[in-house]
Amino acid sequence: MNRRCGKTLFFDQPPSVLGFAAVGGKRESEGPLADGFDLLETDTTFGEKSWERSESKMQALCAELTLQKSGVAAEELDLLFSGDLENQCTASNYTLRDLAVPFVGLYNACATMAEGLALAGCFVAGGLAKRAMAMTSSHFCAAERQFRFPLEYGGKRTPTSQWTATAAGGVVLGESGGPPYVRAVTFGQVTDYGIKDINNMGAAMAPAAVSTLLTFLRDSGEKTENFDRIFTGDLGMVGSALMEELCRREGIVLTNHDDCGLLLYDRGKQEVGAGGSGAGCSASVLCSHILPELRAGRMRRVLFIATGALMSPTTTLQKESIPGIAHLVLLESER
Amino acid sequence: MRFFWAFLVGGGLCVIGQLLIDLTALTPARILVLFVVSGVALSALGWYEPLADFAGAGATVPLLGFGHLLAQGVLSAVERHGLLGALTGGFSAAAGGIAASLVCGVLASLAARSKDQC
Amino acid sequence: MKISKEEYDKLSRQVSPKSKLWTDCLWAFFVGGTICLIGEGLRAFYQTRGFILTDASALASVTLVVLSAILTSLGWYQKIASKAGAGTLVPITGFANAVVSPAIEYRVEGLVTGVGAKMFVIAGPVIVWGMMASVVWGVIYYFLRPMLGG
C-alpha cells in the first residue's frame, strides 16, 4: 500500500527510473558536468530561426534521447509531464505536436522537473500509468527576451543574478526495472518572504526549499544525515547560503547540501553571477549527475528539491513580491 | 584642454549614473528618465549651458545633454512661435538623434540577427 | 519556520554580495569618458569641415548613434556594457543601443508588430518623460517671459 503521512507520499512499490537524458548548450558544454550530458550543442540556435523554436528543438532532442536510452517507444508511454519557462509553456506544447503521447503541461518555473517527476512517480506507483515521463527545458535566449531584455541590449548584471541554463532533461519511470527508484515525494506549498528583487531569485526561493525539507523530515522522521546528498535546484550561491542559515536556525546543520545551480557551472571561470537557474538547470543536473551517480551505486539515498520562483514580468512591474515553491523527491539506489 | 574636460565631465556624469545603479534600488530605465528630466530642469535654470560651453561633448553626449537639447529647443521655439513652440520645440531639437536611432534600428533589424551571449 | 519576513529581509541583505563600487565606477568613468572624448573629437572634426557648432554637435551625436548601432548589431555593445555599466548606459550611444537591440530581437515577430511596435520598448520612457518635461518648461517659459522683460 502506498501511504500518505502528513504531506509526504510514500510509495511501497517505488517506480523505477527506466532511463534519462540531458541535453545542453554551449555554456553547459564548458561546465564541470559536461561529461554527463548526452548531447551538447554549441550552436544554441539548434538550427532554428527563433529562440522559441530552438528551445522546442532542444526539448524534442531530449525526448528522443530519453526514450531511446530507456528502451521505450513513444506509443508505450501512458503520460508525459513537461514544462518550461516560456509563456503558455509553448516550448513543451510545440515539442509535443510531434509526439503522440497523452500530455500534461506543467508550470512551476525552475521547480518544474521535481513537480513532473513527483507526478509521474504518483501515477506509476498508483497503478494509473505503466510508464510515465517527466521532462523540462529552459533556453537562456528565450528566457532573456521574455523576462529581461533583448540579447543585444547593454546591461550590467547584478552579482546576485543567476544565469538561465540552456538545457533540458528527461526521465522515464516504469513499474519495474533497475535502479534508481522514486521512494517518496513531497509537494511543497507556496512560500513568500517578501523578496521583490527579480535579480535575487535565490533569496526568494530559499525559504520554500527549507519549508519543503522541514515538512519531509517531519513526515518521514528522517534526519538530514541519513542522505548521501541533498540537492536543491537553482538556489545559487545566495540562496544556498540562506538555506543553510535558515536550517541552522531550525536546529539542522546541513553538511551534505549541493545546489544544481552551483554544480552546472564553474563560477570561478564562467560568468554566471550567483549560479545557474531555469527549469532546464535542475533537470539537466538530475540527468547528467544525480541519476548516474545513483545508478552506479556511488550514492544510495538522495533528496532532490527543485525550487521555483513564481513571478511574471507583469507582477514584478506591479511591485508584487516573489512567491517561491519547492517540490521534493526521495531517490534511492535500492528498492 | 577641451578634450580633457570632455573626458573628465563625461566620465564623471557616468559615474553618477553608476552610483545610482549600485547604491539605490533604481532600475536603469528610471535612471535614464531621471537624467533626461534633470537635464531639462538644469537647462531651464540656466545651469547646464555653462557646463556645455566648458566641457563640450562631455556635457552633450550623456543623456543630461539630451534634456538640455530639449529645453533649449523649446526655449527658442517659444521665442519664435509663442505657446505653440512649447509643443514643437522639444521634438524638433531632438529629431536628429531620435530619427538616427530609429533608422539604425530598422536597418539593423534587417541586417543583424539576435545572438546568444555565451 | 521561525524567522519573520523582516528578519529574513535583513539576513538576505547580509548574505547577498554587493556590487564592487570602485571597479564599477572606474569602468563607468573610463568607458563613459572615452565615448564623450570620441564625441568631442567628432565635433572638432565636423567644425574643421565648415559646420557651425550646433550642426557639428548634432552630426557628432548622429555618428555616435551609428557607431553604437554597428557595435550593437555585432553583439559587442552588450559585451562592453556588461563591464562598463553606466559608462555605456548614460551616453547617447546607450540610447541608440536601447532602440536598436529590441529592433533586432523582435524582428522575428514581424516588421510591424515586432520591429515597429517594440523598438521603443526600452527607450520610450526617456522620450515620453523628456518631452513632457520640455513641454512643461515651454509653458512656464511662455508665461515667465514677459516678467523677465523679454
Side-chain angles (χ1 to χ4, degrees), chain A residues 257-274:
Chain A
H257 170 231
D258 265 327
D259 184 71
C260 296
L262 295 175
L263 291 170
L264 186 59
Y265 302 113
D266 181 346
R267 283 182 58 244
K269 291 189 195 127
Q270 297 176 289
E271 281 184 29
V272 291

Side-chain angles (χ1 to χ4, degrees), chain C residues 29-45:
Chain C
F29 180 75
F30 280 101
V31 175
T34 304
I35 294 171
C36 293
L37 191 63
I38 296 169
E40 185 59 38
L42 288 165
R43 205 162 77 145
F45 168 75

Side-chain angles (χ1 to χ4, degrees), chain A residues 26-156:
Chain A
K26 180 155 180 283
R27 279 257 156 130
E28 295 66 32
S29 74
E30 294 157 354
L33 297 183
D35 289 343
F37 276 78
D38 298 279
L39 175 69
L40 289 161
E41 176 58 81
T42 49
D43 173 14
T44 50
T45 65
F46 286 82
E48 298 289 337
K49 62 177 196 285
S50 76
W51 295 118
E52 287 72 18
R53 290 180 69 113
S54 307
E55 183 170 352
S56 264
K57 181 71 185 292
M58 176 174 68
Q59 222 190 73
L61 288 169
C62 180
E64 195 186 314
L65 282 167
T66 308
L67 290 170
Q68 196 186 322
K69 284 180 72 187
S70 314
V72 173
E75 304 77 58
E76 294 176 299
L77 280 180
D78 296 318
L79 265 179
L80 192 154
F81 298 89
S82 183
D84 55 87
L85 300 182
E86 287 177 20
N87 285 333
Q88 288 80 36
C89 280
T90 39
S92 305
N93 301 345
Y94 283 76
T95 303
L96 268 292
R97 274 198 306 205
D98 302 321
L99 271 177
V101 178
F103 161 55
V104 183
L106 303 177
Y107 185 82
N108 254 189
C110 312
T112 309
M113 192 59 195
E115 185 190 21
L117 189 60
L119 283 167
C122 290
F123 272 81
V124 173
L128 297 170
K130 267 182 139 42
R131 290 170 212 87
M133 178 165 162
M135 176 169 67
T136 61
S137 69
S138 58
H139 195 299
F140 173 80
C141 302
E144 283 294 296
R145 77 199 299 270
Q146 177 177 313
F147 287 99
R148 294 184 75 244
F149 293 110
L151 290 156
E152 273 70 28
Y153 179 66
K156 196 181 173 84

Side-chain angles (χ1 to χ4, degrees), chain C:
Chain C
M1 275 183 290
K2 292 165 194 147
I3 197 164
S4 69
K5 278 190 182 182
E6 290 71 27
E7 272 179 89
Y8 186 68
D9 185 60
K10 237 172 87 183
L11 184 64
S12 70
R13 276 171 213 278
Q14 280 169 16
V15 171
S16 303
K18 305 279 176 296
S19 300
K20 294 187 187 97
L21 199 61
W22 278 106
T23 331
D24 283 3
C25 284
L26 276 174
W27 267 102
F29 180 75
F30 280 101
V31 175
T34 304
I35 294 171
C36 293
L37 191 63
I38 296 169
E40 185 59 38
L42 288 165
R43 205 162 77 145
F45 168 75
Y46 286 119
Q47 273 186 293
T48 61
R49 285 301 172 97
F51 290 98
I52 57 162
L53 184 65
T54 48
D55 283 358
S57 270
L59 276 170
S61 296
V62 169
T63 313
L64 284 175
V65 165
V66 173
L67 287 175
S68 166
I70 293 170
L71 291 179
T72 301
S73 300
L74 295 171
W76 295 354
Y77 201 85
Q78 170 268 127
K79 288 199 166 63
I80 304 168
S82 70
K83 296 265 181 264
T88 44
L89 180 79
V90 169
I92 191 159
T93 50
F95 179 83
N97 171 253
V99 175
V100 173
S101 59
I104 297 173
E105 183 65 58
Y106 299 109
R107 171 69 184 86
V108 276
E109 276 88 38
L111 280 172
V112 175
T113 46
V115 177
K118 294 203 170 148
M119 185 185 275
F120 287 96
V121 76
I122 305 170
V126 172
I127 297 176
V128 170
W129 294 109
M131 280 304 298
M132 271 313 290
S134 78
V135 171
V136 169
W137 162 233
V139 173
I140 293 173
Y141 181 68
Y142 176 77
F143 287 108
L144 218 60
R145 209 159 50 118
M147 282 180 260
L148 298 172

